[in-house]
């Protein structure tokens, strides 16, 4: 009898056997090819490292061509190619090279236990400024966040333009994709990094392998501000009425109502002068009041009468006089009387002993 938990787990150190020519001695029936474009700024680097790319692919019997006029890279199978998946790995290799991944890292895709994932993040955020901020958040200060993510997932991550290229084991690629998508959804990557750190520590314990880890993982809640800040000026809508508002009175209507319309020109001017003089008099009066404020004395606080000193706390004059007399008798720097007596007694004892 074998425990079921042991059947579900992969033994430590187990590796899938490599695909050799003996597994497919007759080779492939059809020729397959893949091509990808690359940006202009990658042209100089690709020209330098292309001999190395051809050498790496020739081991798997795959041809590679670089077209600088069209700006494309092409990989094709040959008659000697025996591994049908080699062309897929070659396609991923040229994709990674086009996305600014260095050749030293990109060539690892030809290994059996390494895969790649190119995550498109350009269309996940609408505003360009917000996209740049969130992409910078993924990198972290001096690339520290990206480095931490690489160490936890055992993947190489390259953030370039509107894509994120990841290269590593399948389990790590899954975590990288989750972190990148959450970052673009305004979830800080530090939360996912903390979860990955806890998972790494839990995976070391063989007893917890078959148990749920939900109780150990932190639960982060998104804080959505439901209550919107109220504006200072509230625009209240008036009640709807089918009738139009009354027509405002014109200047002539106002003059007719007050009787000014029937006054003569001289009387109108006199009235205007009287109004101006009245306004001036009010202004002068207000100014005078403000000036007089400085001469108005402030209100004084009421005087609080102190209680007479109690008879118990009377000063003893005789005691002070005695202290002064004793101080006068003493010489400056002289020892007190008690210390002098003790010193004299000690001197007498010494004489007797002699």
């Amino acid at each position: 009898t074998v425990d079921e938990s042991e059947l579900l787990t992969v033994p430590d150190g187990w590796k899938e056997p490599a695909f050799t020519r003996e597994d497919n001695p007759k080779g492939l029936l059809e020729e397959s090819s893949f091509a990808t474009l690359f940006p202009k700024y990658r042209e100089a680097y690709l020209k330098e490292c292309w001999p190395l790319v051809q050498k790496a692919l020739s081991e798997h019997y795959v041809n590679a061509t670089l077209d600088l006029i069209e700006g494309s890279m092409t990989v094709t199978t040959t008659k000697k190619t025996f591994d049908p998946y080699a062309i897929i790995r070659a396609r991923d290799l040229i994709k990674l090279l086009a996305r600014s991944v260095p050749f030293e890292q990109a060539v690892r895709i030809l290994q059996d236990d390494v895969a790649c994932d190119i995550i498109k993040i350009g269309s996940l955020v609408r505003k360009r400024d917000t996209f740049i901020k969130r992409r910078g958040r993924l990198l972290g200060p001096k690339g520290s966040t990206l480095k931490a993510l690489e160490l936890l997932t055992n993947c190489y991550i390259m953030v370039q333009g509107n894509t994120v290229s990841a290269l590593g084991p399948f389990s790590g690629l899954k975590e990288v994709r989750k972190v990148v998508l959450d970052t673009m959804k305004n979830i800080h990557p530090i939360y996912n990094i903390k979860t990955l750190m806890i998972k790494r520590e839990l995976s070391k314990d063989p007893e917890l392998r078959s148990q749920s880890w939900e109780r150990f993982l932190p639960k982060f809640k998104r804080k959505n501000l439901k209550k919107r800040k109220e504006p200072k000026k509230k625009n209240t809508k008036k009640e709807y009425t089918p009738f139009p508002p009354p027509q405002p009175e014109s200047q002539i209507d106002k003059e007719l109502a007050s009787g000014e319309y029937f006054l003569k020109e001289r009387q109108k001017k006199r009235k205007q002068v009287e109004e101006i003089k009245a306004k001036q008099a009010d202004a002068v009066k207000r100014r005078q009041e403000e000036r007089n404020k400085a001469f108005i004395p402030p209100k004084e606080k009421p005087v609080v009468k102190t209680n007479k000193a109690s008879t118990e706390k009377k000063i003893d004059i005789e005691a002070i006089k005695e202290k002064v007399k004793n101080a006068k008798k003493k010489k400056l720097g002289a020892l007190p009387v008690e210390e002098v007596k003790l010193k004299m007694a000690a001197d007498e004892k010494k004489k007797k002993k002699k």
Side-chain angles (χ1 to χ4, degrees):
T1 56
V2 183
D3 191 11
E4 288 183 3
S5 61
E6 290 181 7
L7 293 171
L8 294 171
T9 56
V10 179
D12 293 333
W14 182 84
K15 282 187 178 181
E16 191 177 352
F19 193 86
T20 58
R21 183 171 283 282
E22 293 172 3
D23 298 319
N24 186 16
K26 293 182 180 180
L28 305 176
L29 294 172
E30 296 291 334
E31 186 183 289
S32 303
S33 65
F34 288 102
T36 185
L37 299 171
F38 60 86
K40 186 73 176 173
Y41 61 84
R42 291 291 289 171
E43 188 178 317
Y45 180 78
L46 289 172
K47 278 168 73 177
E48 287 179 10
C49 71
W50 197 249
L52 297 170
V53 174
Q54 286 178 326
K55 187 182 177 183
L57 291 174
S58 65
E59 292 175 6
H60 299 270
Y61 302 102
V62 177
N63 286 336
T65 54
L66 178 66
D67 190 351
L68 296 174
I69 297 164
E70 192 183 345
S72 66
M73 293 179 282
T74 312
V75 286
T76 53
T77 57
T78 59
K79 290 179 181 180
K80 291 183 179 181
T81 309
F82 61 88
D83 187 0
Y85 201 73
I87 188 65
I88 304 296
R89 291 206 186 98
R91 179 201 64 182
D92 292 340
L93 174 63
I94 58 173
K95 272 189 181 180
L96 291 169
L97 289 170
R99 293 312 312 147
S100 297
V101 177
F103 171 75
E104 291 78 11
Q105 293 291 340
V107 78
R108 286 171 54 208
I109 196 67
L110 300 174
Q111 298 171 16
D112 288 338
D113 57 345
V114 178
C116 74
D117 189 10
I118 296 170
I119 308 156
K120 293 179 181 178
I121 57 173
S123 59
L124 296 176
V125 185
R126 287 183 182 179
K127 292 183 180 178
R128 186 70 183 169
D129 295 340
T130 313
F131 168 73
I132 291 162
K133 281 180 184 177
R134 289 181 188 175
R135 188 179 62 182
R137 200 179 293 167
L138 184 65
L139 293 166
K142 296 180 181 177
S144 57
T145 307
L146 197 68
K147 189 67 180 173
L149 199 60
E150 284 181 349
L151 292 169
L152 289 166
T153 57
N154 295 324
C155 293
Y156 174 81
I157 305 164
M158 182 71 180
V159 181
Q160 177 70 21
N162 295 331
T163 58
V164 177
S165 306
L167 186 76
F170 291 98
S171 58
L173 292 175
K174 187 181 174 183
E175 297 294 342
V176 169
R177 179 171 273 274
K178 184 181 178 298
V179 173
V180 170
L181 294 178
D182 283 353
T183 306
M184 290 295 124
K185 290 176 186 173
N186 202 19
I187 299 168
H188 204 280
I190 195 68
Y191 299 131
N192 288 309
I193 286 169
K194 281 184 179 179
T195 308
L196 288 171
M197 288 171 74
I198 293 163
K199 280 182 180 178
R200 189 174 66 173
E201 293 299 318
L202 292 170
S203 64
K204 292 175 183 177
D205 192 353
E207 293 178 3
L208 296 169
R209 189 172 286 179
S210 59
Q211 296 179 15
S212 178
W213 294 350
E214 286 294 324
R215 64 182 189 274
F216 301 110
L217 300 176
K219 293 175 183 178
F220 302 106
K221 292 181 181 179
R222 292 188 72 180
K223 293 180 181 179
N224 291 329
L225 299 173
K226 292 179 181 178
K227 291 183 179 179
R228 190 174 66 84
K229 288 184 179 180
E230 294 182 355
K232 290 180 180 179
K233 292 180 181 179
K234 290 184 179 180
N235 297 326
T236 53
K237 289 185 178 181
K238 296 178 182 178
E239 292 181 5
Y240 173 74
T241 53
F243 306 104
Q247 194 173 358
E249 290 184 349
S250 63
Q251 190 66 26
I252 296 167
D253 293 335
K254 288 175 183 177
E255 287 178 1
L256 285 167
S258 61
E260 290 179 25
Y261 186 77
F262 303 103
L263 293 173
K264 290 179 182 179
E265 196 67 31
R266 194 183 295 169
Q267 289 173 332
K268 284 181 182 179
K269 283 183 180 179
R270 193 185 299 160
K271 194 177 181 182
Q272 285 176 0
V273 170
E274 285 174 2
E275 285 176 359
I276 290 163
K277 282 182 179 180
K279 283 181 182 179
Q280 287 175 351
D282 289 337
V284 169
K285 191 179 179 181
R286 263 188 264 112
R287 266 190 245 116
Q288 198 66 34
E289 285 175 0
E290 285 177 6
R291 285 173 187 167
N292 292 337
K293 277 180 186 177
F295 300 102
I296 297 167
K299 289 182 180 179
E300 294 180 358
K301 292 180 182 178
V303 180
V304 180
K305 291 181 180 180
T306 54
N307 296 326
K308 289 180 180 180
S310 58
T311 53
E312 294 176 2
K313 292 181 180 180
K314 283 183 179 179
I315 298 164
D316 194 356
I317 297 165
E318 296 295 329
I320 292 166
K321 283 181 179 179
E322 285 179 9
K323 283 181 181 179
V324 171
K325 282 179 183 178
N326 292 332
K328 282 181 180 179
K329 287 176 183 178
K330 288 179 184 178
K331 292 180 180 179
L332 191 67
L335 295 167
V337 179
E338 293 176 358
E339 288 186 14
V340 171
K341 286 178 181 179
L342 289 167
K343 198 172 184 182
M344 287 171 71
D347 291 339
E348 285 176 4
K349 283 180 181 179
K350 284 179 180 179
K351 286 177 183 179
K352 284 178 183 179
K353 283 179 182 179
K354 286 178 181 180

